[in-house]
Amino acid sequence: MVILREKKSLLSKIATSDQHGENSPYFDGWKAYDQDPFHPTQNPHGVIQMGLAENQLSHDLIERWIVENPKSSICTDVGVDLFKDIANFQDYHGMPEFREAIAKFMGKARGDRVRFDPDRIVMGGGATGASESLMFCLADPGDGFLVPTPYYPAFDRDLRWRTGIQLIPIVCKSSNDFKITKQALESAYDNAIKSNIKIKGLIIANPSNPLGTTMDRETLKTLIKFINDKDIHLVCDEIYAATVFNTPDFISISEVLQEMEQDPMNRINPELVHIIYSLSKDMGLPGFRVGILYSYNDGVVSSARKMSSFGLISTQTQHFLASILSDEVFVESFLIENSRRLAKRHKVFTQGLEEDGITCLASNAALYVWMDLRRLLKKPTFDEEMRLWRLIINEVKLNVSPGSSFHCVEPGWFRVCFANMDEQTVQIALNRIHIFVKKGKENETTTTKNKRSRPWSKDLRLSFSSRLYDETTMMSPRIMSPHSPFAHSPLVQART
Amino acid sequence: MVILREKKSLLSKIATSDQHGENSPYFDGWKAYDQDPFHPTQNPHGVIQMGLAENQLSHDLIERWIVENPKSSICTDVGVDLFKDIANFQDYHGMPEFREAIAKFMGKARGDRVRFDPDRIVMGGGATGASESLMFCLADPGDGFLVPTPYYPAFDRDLRWRTGIQLIPIVCKSSNDFKITKQALESAYDNAIKSNIKIKGLIIANPSNPLGTTMDRETLKTLIKFINDKDIHLVCDEIYAATVFNTPDFISISEVLQEMEQDPMNRINPELVHIIYSLSKDMGLPGFRVGILYSYNDGVVSSARKMSSFGLISTQTQHFLASILSDEVFVESFLIENSRRLAKRHKVFTQGLEEDGITCLASNAALYVWMDLRRLLKKPTFDEEMRLWRLIINEVKLNVSPGSSFHCVEPGWFRVCFANMDEQTVQIALNRIHIFVKKGKENETTTTKNKRSRPWSKDLRLSFSSRLYDETTMMSPRIMSPHSPFAHSPLVQART
């Protein structure tokens, strides 16, 4: 024991603490998936990954562009002339053409109603690195930032772990579709002050993760007024800006800031506003690690740029993206088509759920839905939510993410990603849910013959045997067409 | 003033402090270069960048490989099939094939005398990001690390700025070629303890930056014994491992650790040892941001891997590097040829300096020399060093880095990079130095006719008019051949 304690103290408090938050169910679900990943032919009974907010719907558009534009890569015979210069470039301002292309793309992804200045574009290692650097610039250890719940689980790692800041929840509830109210804002702020926490800012994600909703103009105005009144920062995570697939249109904080600044009566200080952006969701390129901090504050731009040394974007990638994002014809058609495909996928998935009586919070953006399974809980507790979550992971074999990992205050909500898989896998997932619900109803019928109905349950009843589902027997005609690549695969049988 | 103070307090102590160290002359020299960069035809009187440790000698080898291996890029028509999978890959363990290739390359760059385990390879955003993450894992704010002087100026930013640790110098001197002695080690450690600083480790760069020397086996053994006695960490920055171009061969800490572990009497704890690596110097790819932390400590591997989320390497780049580094025939011939070219360049440059009576510390590695200009100082002070440095930047128009920015305790040393330019530029730099020295001698002759010789000066005398040198009149026949691309350029005249 003594030896163990001594060993531990060789490392830092950061390394030996659990503040990275990776022991939350959000990450546990990924581990369950990793141990038994679904594959249509090689592992058809495996866990389907619905916990990963990836956009896999539009890569074919990028691939086609690549084949037509071999000069965009320094690793082709026609592009290699630039290899030496680009491989050597390490200025932390980034390649000028990259910053210009990103600034233009950010404008286009926000309906071209606002212009972004390339000189305010600061690079970071993904939104993860960019957000952490921003926190290092804005706050000292112990300082607090308000965050409306539910919020992205990895904020705990990205914003808090190494910086030592605190995240103070603003409680949002389903009664008004989890919208942030002035009252909830003020109350969270006042409570923090009472607890002697110095509040340095407010962090929002718009479009929201995990809700998939966008904020309206009035709400954004309220937030800008609030942070100006308190003289604190506003950090807007807009990494899902171009995933908006339905009305209302996306309104960026930059647009509202521009409007409000025009009226001097508003007394707006733009230096309090900072945007986090990325190409991981909007372009579907998480592996490329493109994180952007766009700040209206010169001091933050200057400090964060020095910090970008810790997570610069590979110049091989900067060069490629500068090329593709400078092609305005491509960018415009990509944004339209990507949005169209997301709308279609969202519709297929939510309608599939509705056929089984499962509803989601109405949403118009992002790569997931916020699924309401409150009626499936025996009691409205987080223990019950975890029980249901384990059932879904282990029996239905879908890795969805429980609301508790998003710090949601109401048990029974789950984030379900729908854009990180092909059409067939969506159908398999919907079928698994269908059988899950059907079995529940059958059991319910049997149960209610003997017992009275439980008050927490209205029109869904679920229960499970521990038997693994046999995908070959559960497939509906709509997916088991003879053209299905795994319809006749011997591998399907090999794993039963 | 009040408004200014208030504004400042909106940002963090990190953002408003000067601990990033970028106000050192090391970075100032870069700025001087940026304002007036040399170009053979477009700006022949500009500042030649000799402050940047880049390896530009072997890119042609990589370029040739690229043309022959189009599948190594996901942005070619034959490689694009993998685009979607690779663009989506964001596991912070890194691509398995990348880690394997890096581990193998690290072995080859160390003479294949030691094997590296791919599971201990942790990615970081360049050596910069990897080193900072290691500090976050090992130490709490206020903790100290011993570092032998002179040391890499950006350590102040990379290791100290955001982590809050302290760097405690171990004084090394020219009397024994700046070698680290047990006495200096113990003395620095004892002084720190007396000042109530908790020492968490020792940081060395081997090959050294700025010395260009490698450490011998006995020294490395002494260091391993020392850190085991004190139960502190040993961080070895080996980012110049494959730049060793002359005997003695490079000996990695991993090799000595392996040897010492074999004798249980040594009671060695390998968990105290960590290596920082990179491809920026050895392969000449700083823009690709490949930083590697290799730790023998499982706790560090696990924590640092979580931290690598802040600075992952673009998967486009991981895939390319996995391909090229897996080609063992290429890697072996690259390492040999790169080393041969560095040896040649080093010889040309140091012999050129010697012709003018300028000596450098004898070195066998890296991309720079440690030039001894002590005799040119009127007094052995750092003010004098700065005066000489300004003369070299502003009059000779060479951006070299003064020893003070490397925390050297003896004034008069300068780091001069020789591998970030072509042969012609090296000759122009040598010519500028030649004229500088010659003018100094001429002035000296005039001066000594009237005054007695100054005691600080032996065989070099320098002084300058503020007139800009006219490159067209100073070029020696060896570079002003009729084939020189800028021999007859009207631009050469246009800027006089």
Side-chain angles (χ1 to χ4, degrees):
Chain A
M1 280 303 276
V2 173
I3 291 165
L4 266 176
R5 270 234 311 280
E6 273 179 6
K7 267 197 179 173
K8 214 177 175 188
S9 76
L10 277 175
L11 304 189
S12 67
K13 290 192 184 85
I14 288 175
T16 50
S17 81
D18 283 338
Q19 293 287 306
H20 52 72
E22 289 196 19
N23 36 13
S24 96
Y26 175 73
F27 293 100
D28 281 351
W30 287 7
K31 286 170 208 155
Y33 166 78
D34 283 344
Q35 281 158 15
D36 182 23
F38 168 81
H39 185 277
T41 53
Q42 287 163 33
N43 191 21
H45 306 295
V47 175
I48 295 177
Q49 175 59 290
M50 304 189 91
L52 198 54
E54 273 181 6
N55 180 0
Q56 295 194 13
L57 302 189
S58 304
H59 288 104
D60 58 313
L61 307 175
I62 301 175
E63 286 163 12
R64 202 182 313 147
W65 187 91
I66 285 171
V67 174
E68 288 164 4
N69 294 274
K71 271 210 140 181
S72 65
S73 166
I74 53 170
C75 294
T76 58
D77 51 355
V78 293
V80 78
D81 289 350
L82 292 175
F83 183 85
K84 183 176 172 178
D85 282 349
I86 288 174
N88 266 322
F89 187 91
Q90 57 176 320
D91 184 333
Y92 57 40
H93 292 79
M95 293 168 65
E97 55 271 34
F98 172 73
R99 272 188 290 138
E100 274 159 36
I102 285 281
K104 219 174 263 178
F105 184 80
M106 283 180 71
K108 284 222 178 300
R110 285 152 187 83
D112 263 340
R113 290 182 300 272
V114 66
R115 209 188 71 79
F116 291 91
D117 177 357
D119 288 340
R120 295 196 174 279
I121 300 276
V122 179
M123 285 187 288
T128 299
S131 319
E132 191 199 44
S133 285
L134 180 57
M135 289 300 110
F136 272 123
C137 288
L138 301 182
D140 296 322
D143 289 350
F145 276 80
L146 304 172
V147 198
T149 62
Y151 67 81
Y152 174 51
F155 272 175
D156 292 332
R157 178 194 63 197
D158 300 356
L159 308 175
R160 190 188 67 177
W161 186 30
R162 303 199 307 187
T163 64
I165 65 133
Q166 301 185 62
L167 295 178
I168 312 294
I170 302 165
V171 175
C172 299
K173 290 184 179 168
S174 62
S175 52
N176 72 337
D177 294 338
F178 297 98
K179 278 183 187 131
I180 188 171
T181 63
K182 189 149 193 305
Q183 196 189 357
L185 258 178
E186 295 282 1
S187 153
Y189 183 87
D190 292 344
N191 286 338
I193 298 298
K194 272 180 210 150
S195 308
N196 275 324
I197 298 167
K198 185 177 176 188
I199 292 294
K200 285 303 286 280
L202 164 66
I203 298 167
I204 56 165
N206 182 32
S208 163
N209 183 358
L211 303 176
T213 53
T214 53
M215 283 185 181
D216 59 44
R217 196 172 299 267
E218 279 315 304
T219 304
L220 292 170
K221 278 189 181 173
T222 304
L223 301 184
I224 290 185
K225 274 185 202 146
F226 173 79
I227 61 110
N228 270 278
D229 283 354
K230 309 291 188 201
D231 204 22
I232 60 174
H233 296 278
L234 177 57
V235 177
C236 301
D237 177 338
E238 296 191 350
I239 67 171
Y240 290 94
T243 66
V244 178
F245 51 76
N246 219 331
T247 53
D249 280 350
F250 176 60
I251 302 165
S252 165
I253 197 72
S254 55
E255 198 181 330
V256 179
L257 181 67
Q258 186 175 271
E259 275 173 32
M260 290 179 80
E261 264 192 289
Q262 281 164 3
D263 183 353
M265 292 296 287
N266 281 327
R267 298 173 59 92
I268 298 302
N269 179 6
E271 295 193 355
L272 298 173
V273 179
H274 322 274
I275 297 171
I276 295 293
Y277 192 53
S278 155
L279 297 183
S280 299
K281 313 301 179 182
D282 284 357
M283 293 278 292
L285 304 173
F288 285 14
R289 310 313 298 149
V290 179
I292 301 295
L293 162 62
Y294 189 91
S295 175
Y296 292 90
N297 186 311
D298 292 344
V300 170
V301 168
S302 164
S303 278
R305 193 156 271 154
K306 291 184 182 74
M307 292 182 190
S308 53
S309 298
F310 300 111
L312 292 169
I313 300 159
S314 167
T315 49
Q316 183 190 18
T317 297
Q318 285 186 51
H319 175 71
F320 168 69
L321 291 171
S323 309
I324 190 167
L325 297 183
S326 300
D327 182 341
E328 293 194 32
V329 176
F330 169 79
V331 166
E332 275 172 31
S333 67
F334 177 88
L335 290 174
I336 292 168
E337 179 62 16
N338 182 48
S339 163
R340 199 190 62 76
R341 292 182 187 184
L342 282 170
K344 187 180 162 205
R345 173 60 61 87
H346 177 263
K347 194 173 171 186
V348 166
F349 189 65
T350 52
Q351 284 185 350
L353 291 178
E354 275 165 24
E355 281 170 24
D356 290 319
I358 298 172
T359 58
C360 298
L361 182 75
S363 63
N364 63 328
L367 311 170
Y368 37 75
V369 286
W370 190 233
M371 183 169 71
D372 182 1
L373 296 186
R374 283 178 294 171
R375 290 171 304 177
L376 304 191
L377 305 184
K378 289 181 192 160
K379 285 180 293 182
T381 65
F382 288 108
D383 281 348
E384 261 299 293
E385 179 178 285
M386 287 311 288
R387 186 198 58 81
L388 180 57
W389 177 68
R390 282 195 204 96
L391 207 67
I392 297 171
I393 289 253
N394 299 324
E395 307 291 330
V396 197
K397 297 255 177 175
L398 303 178
N399 173 30
V400 300
S401 309
S404 58
S405 58
F406 295 85
H407 303 267
C408 186
V409 295
E410 293 177 18
W413 294 87
F414 293 81
R415 193 191 73 168
V416 190
C417 299
F418 57 72
N420 60 325
M421 60 195 71
D422 59 18
E423 184 69 29
Q424 279 178 330
T425 310
V426 172
Q427 294 301 343
I428 293 169
L430 284 172
N431 265 292
R432 291 187 183 180
I433 294 168
H434 180 71
I435 290 179
F436 169 84
V437 171
K438 200 174 149 211
K439 285 221 164 260
K441 280 189 180 155
E442 283 165 13
N443 286 353
E444 170 66 9
T445 314
T446 322
T447 313
T448 47
K449 277 183 188 162
N450 305 320
K451 299 183 195 170
R452 64 185 178 88
S453 174
R454 290 189 195 130
W456 48 267
S457 172
K458 280 177 189 153
D459 54 14
L460 289 176
R461 299 290 179 277
L462 306 177
S463 102
F464 278 84
S465 75
S466 63
R467 181 179 69 84
L468 285 179
Y469 287 100
D470 185 349
E471 215 86 68
T472 53
T473 63
M474 65 169 269
M475 285 187 183
S476 75
R478 59 180 163 166
I479 58 156
M480 279 307 276
S481 83
H483 306 296
S484 164
F486 52 95
H488 303 291
S489 164
L491 283 167
V492 175
Q493 303 294 338
R495 267 193 65 102
T496 48
Chain B
M1 278 304 278
V2 174
I3 292 166
L4 266 175
R5 270 232 313 278
E6 273 178 4
K7 269 197 176 171
K8 216 175 173 187
S9 78
L10 277 174
L11 304 188
S12 67
K13 291 192 184 85
I14 288 175
T16 51
S17 81
D18 283 338
Q19 293 287 305
H20 51 74
E22 289 197 16
N23 36 12
S24 95
Y26 176 73
F27 293 99
D28 282 350
W30 287 7
K31 286 170 208 155
Y33 166 78
D34 282 344
Q35 282 159 14
D36 182 24
F38 169 81
H39 185 277
T41 54
Q42 286 161 34
N43 191 21
H45 306 294
V47 175
I48 295 177
Q49 174 60 289
M50 305 191 89
L52 198 55
E54 273 180 8
N55 180 359
Q56 295 195 12
L57 302 189
S58 304
H59 288 105
D60 58 311
L61 307 174
I62 301 176
E63 286 164 11
R64 201 182 313 146
W65 187 91
I66 285 171
V67 173
E68 288 164 4
N69 294 274
K71 271 210 140 181
S72 66
S73 166
I74 54 171
C75 293
T76 59
D77 53 353
V78 294
V80 77
D81 288 352
L82 293 175
F83 183 85
K84 184 177 172 176
D85 282 349
I86 288 174
N88 266 322
F89 187 91
Q90 56 177 321
D91 184 334
Y92 57 39
H93 293 78
M95 294 169 62
E97 54 272 35
F98 172 74
R99 271 187 292 136
E100 274 160 35
I102 285 281
K104 217 174 266 177
F105 184 81
M106 283 180 71
K108 285 223 177 299
R110 285 153 186 83
D112 263 339
R113 291 181 300 273
V114 66
R115 209 188 71 81
F116 292 91
D117 177 357
D119 288 340
R120 296 196 175 277
I121 299 276
V122 179
M123 285 187 288
T128 299
S131 318
E132 192 199 45
S133 285
L134 180 57
M135 289 300 110
F136 273 121
C137 288
L138 300 183
D140 297 322
D143 288 352
F145 276 80
L146 303 172
V147 197
T149 63
Y151 67 81
Y152 174 51
F155 272 175
D156 291 332
R157 179 195 61 199
D158 299 356
L159 308 174
R160 189 189 67 177
W161 186 30
R162 304 198 307 187
T163 64
I165 66 134
Q166 301 184 62
L167 295 178
I168 313 293
I170 302 165
V171 175
C172 299
K173 290 185 180 168
S174 62
S175 52
N176 72 337
D177 294 338
F178 297 98
K179 278 183 187 132
I180 189 171
T181 63
K182 192 153 191 306
Q183 194 189 358
L185 257 178
E186 295 282 2
S187 154
Y189 183 87
D190 292 344
N191 286 337
I193 298 299
K194 273 179 209 152
S195 309
N196 276 322
I197 297 167
K198 185 177 176 189
I199 292 295
K200 285 303 284 279
L202 164 65
I203 298 166
I204 56 164
N206 182 32
S208 163
N209 183 358
L211 304 176
T213 53
T214 53
M215 284 186 179
D216 59 45
R217 197 174 299 268
E218 279 315 305
T219 304
L220 292 171
K221 279 188 181 172
T222 304
L223 301 185
I224 290 185
K225 274 184 201 146
F226 173 79
I227 61 111
N228 271 279
D229 282 353
K230 309 290 186 200
D231 204 21
I232 60 175
H233 297 278
L234 177 56
V235 177
C236 301
D237 176 337
E238 296 190 350
I239 67 171
Y240 289 95
T243 67
V244 178
F245 51 77
N246 220 330
T247 51
D249 280 351
F250 176 61
I251 303 164
S252 166
I253 197 72
S254 54
E255 196 181 331
V256 179
L257 182 67
Q258 185 176 271
E259 275 174 33
M260 291 179 80
E261 265 193 288
Q262 281 164 4
D263 182 353
M265 292 296 285
N266 282 326
R267 300 172 58 91
I268 297 303
N269 178 6
E271 295 193 354
L272 297 174
V273 179
H274 322 274
I275 296 171
I276 296 293
Y277 193 53
S278 155
L279 297 183
S280 299
K281 314 300 181 183
D282 285 357
M283 292 278 292
L285 304 173
F288 286 14
R289 312 312 299 150
V290 179
I292 301 295
L293 162 61
Y294 189 91
S295 176
Y296 293 90
N297 185 310
D298 291 345
V300 170
V301 168
S302 164
S303 278
R305 194 156 270 155
K306 290 183 183 75
M307 292 182 192
S308 54
S309 296
F310 299 111
L312 292 170
I313 300 159
S314 167
T315 49
Q316 182 190 18
T317 297
Q318 284 187 52
H319 175 71
F320 167 70
L321 291 172
S323 308
I324 190 167
L325 298 183
S326 301
D327 182 342
E328 293 193 34
V329 176
F330 169 79
V331 166
E332 275 173 32
S333 67
F334 177 88
L335 289 174
I336 291 168
E337 180 61 16
N338 182 47
S339 163
R340 198 190 62 76
R341 291 182 186 184
L342 283 170
K344 187 181 160 206
R345 173 61 60 88
H346 177 262
K347 194 173 172 187
V348 166
F349 189 65
T350 51
Q351 284 186 349
L353 291 178
E354 277 165 24
E355 282 170 24
D356 289 318
I358 299 172
T359 58
C360 298
L361 182 75
S363 64
N364 63 329
L367 311 170
Y368 37 75
V369 285
W370 189 234
M371 183 168 72
D372 181 1
L373 296 186
R374 283 177 294 170
R375 289 171 304 176
L376 304 191
L377 304 184
K378 288 180 193 160
K379 288 179 291 183
T381 66
F382 287 107
D383 282 347
E384 262 299 292
E385 179 179 284
M386 286 312 287
R387 186 197 59 82
L388 179 58
W389 176 67
R390 282 195 204 97
L391 206 67
I392 297 171
I393 288 252
N394 298 324
E395 307 290 328
V396 197
K397 297 253 174 175
L398 302 179
N399 174 31
V400 300
S401 308
S404 56
S405 58
F406 295 85
H407 303 266
C408 186
V409 295
E410 293 176 18
W413 293 88
F414 293 81
R415 192 191 75 168
V416 190
C417 299
F418 57 71
N420 60 324
M421 61 195 74
D422 59 18
E423 184 70 27
Q424 277 178 332
T425 310
V426 172
Q427 293 302 342
I428 293 170
L430 284 172
N431 265 292
R432 290 186 182 182
I433 294 167
H434 180 69
I435 290 178
F436 170 82
V437 171
K438 200 173 149 212
K439 283 217 166 263
K441 280 187 180 158
E442 282 166 12
N443 287 352
E444 170 65 11
T445 313
T446 323
T447 313
T448 47
K449 276 182 191 164
N450 306 319
K451 300 182 197 172
R452 64 187 177 85
S453 174
R454 291 190 194 127
W456 48 266
S457 171
K458 281 177 189 152
D459 55 13
L460 289 177
R461 298 293 179 276
L462 306 177
S463 103
F464 277 83
S465 75
S466 61
R467 184 178 69 82
L468 285 178
Y469 286 101
D470 185 348
E471 215 87 65
T472 53
T473 63
M474 65 170 267
M475 285 185 181
S476 75
R478 58 180 163 168
I479 57 155
M480 279 306 278
S481 84
H483 307 297
S484 164
F486 51 96
H488 303 291
S489 165
L491 283 167
V492 174
Q493 302 294 337
R495 267 190 66 101
T496 49

